[in-house]
Amino acid sequence: MSIIFDSMNKKGHEEVVFCHEKDTDLKAIIAIHNTTIGPALGGCRMWNYPTEEEALTDVLRLSRGMSYKAAIAGLNLGGGKAVIIGNAKTDKTETLFRSFGRFVEGLSGRYITAEDVGTSVKDMEWVRMETKYVTGISRALGGSGDPSPITALGVFSGIKATVKKQLGKDSLVGLKVGVQGVGHVGYYLCKNLAEDGAQLFVTDIDSDALKRVVDEFSADVIGVDDIYEADVDIYAPCALGATLNDYTIPKLKCAIVAGAANNQLEDEIRHAEMLKDRGILYAPDYAINAGGLINVANEIEGYNRERAFSQAEGIYDLLMTIYAQADKEGVTTHQAASKVAEKRMKDVGLLKNVYLPKKNVMGKRDSSI
Ligand code: NAD
């Protein structure tokens, strides 16, 4: 047990819930990292983890990341995540997800779930049958639908900010952008970039996805391994994590790294330093790709697409703030982003302690405390 509490203590987690139901064979873990700013929101990943330890490590890591993403995006949310241990291709049933939904309901809104790797809108609609604390459901049910266009718009706004800061330009006319992965987000990002005058170089392992962007945006195709040394101004990772590492960073010819993928840096500290030393401006992934979270956050308050899109465009200003902080303190942009997020969590926490009487166990404000 001390392993679990040690891990929670090191990373600052509030609560970890192990969910098991015999009849449905549900094995899930819900991790609530930080609810200082608001309820913990984060997707539910379904993955065939080889061991329970790996599932726990993943949910602790991912839930912490959500606290930072929500904090930096200025949302009224905390960070959480869930994992269901199982094969997403063969083990999905209505009862499994309804059973998971009952555990989410049991947390009374401290954790709000959503789709993630291995789960879909349909799965979340089963969860919705048991709890209202779920987002990412279809537009027909009052949800926000596919988050990719808004994530792409946020990334595009972030690229514009990074171009302004690094190259002093207001538009992408004449700039070459290498997009790695032209799936859901990559496709819409290519559309935004092409409309702003960028020249696109794309790579993907899916030939149909590639054909679409070649046909629609006159993109040039480059090899999967050639993307790192491509002669481009901007490298936009929109596929996998950990593509910035000891092997790839020395190859980069670009001035900017800015894309949608999560966990782009294999080692958050060292590889951010390597990019900085090479004079490459890195847009911190969890800040530039916060559009998807902004989208589901809006679902909680009653979805308004215009409002969500306009908030995603705010990623321009957010990145400018991070870059200014990084310059002022001489730190990497990744460190600067962490500081901005941590400051907001701390400031909101202090505000709550100062101005609001603590809640008693029944949820009522107890003015005698
Ligand atoms: P997706 O699966 O639709 O697209 C990923 C694309 O990358 C696919 O076309 C796939 O074929 C391609 N790909 C896989 N391996 C590759 C490789 N080795 N080289 C080149 N291409 C490769 O996923 P998505 O929803 O577009 O998300 C892309 C990234 O952005 C992911 O890292 C995801 O976590 C992150 N992200 C997505 C959202 C969102 O709203 N969808 C929000 C935040 C972050």
Side-chain angles (χ1 to χ4, degrees):
M1 279 303 272
S2 71
I3 299 168
I4 296 172
F5 284 115
D6 278 355
S7 304
M8 289 173 71
N9 188 34
K10 266 189 205 129
K11 302 285 185 194
H13 288 80
E14 291 176 12
E15 185 175 357
V16 178
V17 183
F18 291 84
C19 319
H20 177 241
E21 198 171 70
K22 215 164 63 174
D23 294 340
T24 57
D25 200 26
L26 174 77
K27 292 187 200 80
I29 311 173
I30 300 171
I32 297 176
H33 176 255
N34 190 309
T35 56
T36 306
I37 301 180
L41 191 146
C44 169
R45 182 164 288 197
M46 184 162 183
W47 196 255
N48 223 351
Y49 291 98
T51 65
E52 288 168 12
E53 285 75 15
E54 283 169 77
L56 178 65
T57 304
D58 211 25
V59 78
L60 292 178
R61 181 180 67 84
L62 293 166
S63 55
R64 182 170 180 271
M66 291 309 295
S67 293
Y68 279 73
K69 191 184 281 207
I72 207 154
L75 300 169
N76 204 24
L77 291 170
K81 203 88 181 182
V83 294
I84 295 180
I85 302 171
N87 187 326
K89 289 211 168 82
T90 54
D91 296 346
K92 283 187 183 179
T93 59
E94 175 184 348
T95 49
L96 182 87
F97 281 98
R98 290 184 73 149
S99 163
F100 171 70
R102 282 199 288 276
F103 280 98
V104 174
E105 176 68 14
L107 289 164
S108 308
R110 265 172 64 68
Y111 168 67
I112 301 168
T113 197
E115 304 162 54
D116 198 73
V117 175
T119 57
S120 66
V121 171
K122 185 178 163 210
D123 305 329
M124 290 308 119
E125 287 175 3
W126 280 329
V127 173
R128 180 72 182 84
M129 292 173 185
E130 301 293 337
T131 181
K132 64 176 188 288
Y133 301 117
V134 52
T135 57
I137 51 175
S138 67
R139 297 185 82 175
L141 290 177
S144 56
D146 178 11
S148 311
I150 201 162
T151 301
L153 179 68
V155 173
F156 174 65
S157 304
I159 288 179
K160 297 267 283 186
T162 314
V163 164
K164 178 72 179 170
K165 168 75 183 149
Q166 180 80 333
L167 306 173
K169 295 187 177 199
D170 289 312
S171 102
L172 294 171
V173 174
L175 294 182
K176 296 178 187 165
V177 188
V179 182
Q180 180 183 41
V182 288
H184 285 92
V185 180
Y187 167 78
Y188 289 107
L189 179 62
C190 284
K191 187 170 193 290
N192 292 327
L193 292 167
E195 281 168 5
D196 204 46
Q199 197 182 340
L200 299 177
F201 296 83
V202 294
T203 189
D204 201 296
I205 50 170
D206 178 339
S207 55
D208 291 337
L210 277 177
K211 186 173 180 314
R212 196 174 169 206
V213 292
V214 169
D215 290 349
E216 292 186 31
F217 313 124
S218 308
D220 287 318
V221 174
I222 48 179
V224 166
D225 293 327
D226 301 331
I227 185 81
Y228 304 108
E229 42 206 338
D231 187 12
V232 292
D233 302 289
I234 301 157
Y235 159 49
C238 297
L240 317 161
T243 59
L244 297 166
N245 53 48
D246 290 345
Y247 173 74
T248 58
I249 295 174
K251 292 184 176 186
L252 296 176
K253 294 196 178 115
C254 57
I256 287 168
V257 174
N262 279 312
N263 308 315
Q264 294 170 25
L265 300 163
E266 189 175 79
D267 180 319
E268 288 181 351
I269 305 297
R270 207 160 55 77
H271 292 129
E273 291 283 0
M274 271 176 83
L275 287 168
K276 182 171 181 278
D277 291 347
R278 289 214 49 212
I280 298 171
L281 187 55
Y282 166 67
D285 49 11
Y286 66 87
I288 195 170
N289 74 13
L293 182 61
I294 289 171
N295 202 45
V296 289
N298 269 274
E299 205 174 310
I300 297 169
E301 290 160 10
Y303 190 61
N304 178 322
R305 198 167 167 80
E306 253 173 52
R307 181 166 184 269
F309 270 79
S310 129
Q311 282 182 352
E313 281 174 330
I315 288 175
Y316 184 104
D317 291 337
L318 170 62
L319 286 190
M320 284 304 199
T321 306
I322 292 169
Y323 297 149
Q325 172 116 2
D327 281 351
K328 193 171 133 209
E329 300 191 8
V331 296
T332 67
T333 52
H334 176 80
Q335 284 169 312
S338 301
K339 284 193 166 189
V340 172
E342 283 162 9
K343 181 174 183 318
R344 181 158 180 255
M345 286 188 253
K346 190 170 163 225
D347 288 352
V348 175
L350 288 173
L351 188 78
K352 284 191 174 167
N353 284 338
V354 170
Y355 293 110
L356 294 179
K358 288 190 174 129
K359 278 184 182 178
N360 65 22
V361 283
M362 300 305 286
K364 289 183 183 147
R365 300 273 170 209
D366 187 337
S367 53
S368 66
I369 296 172

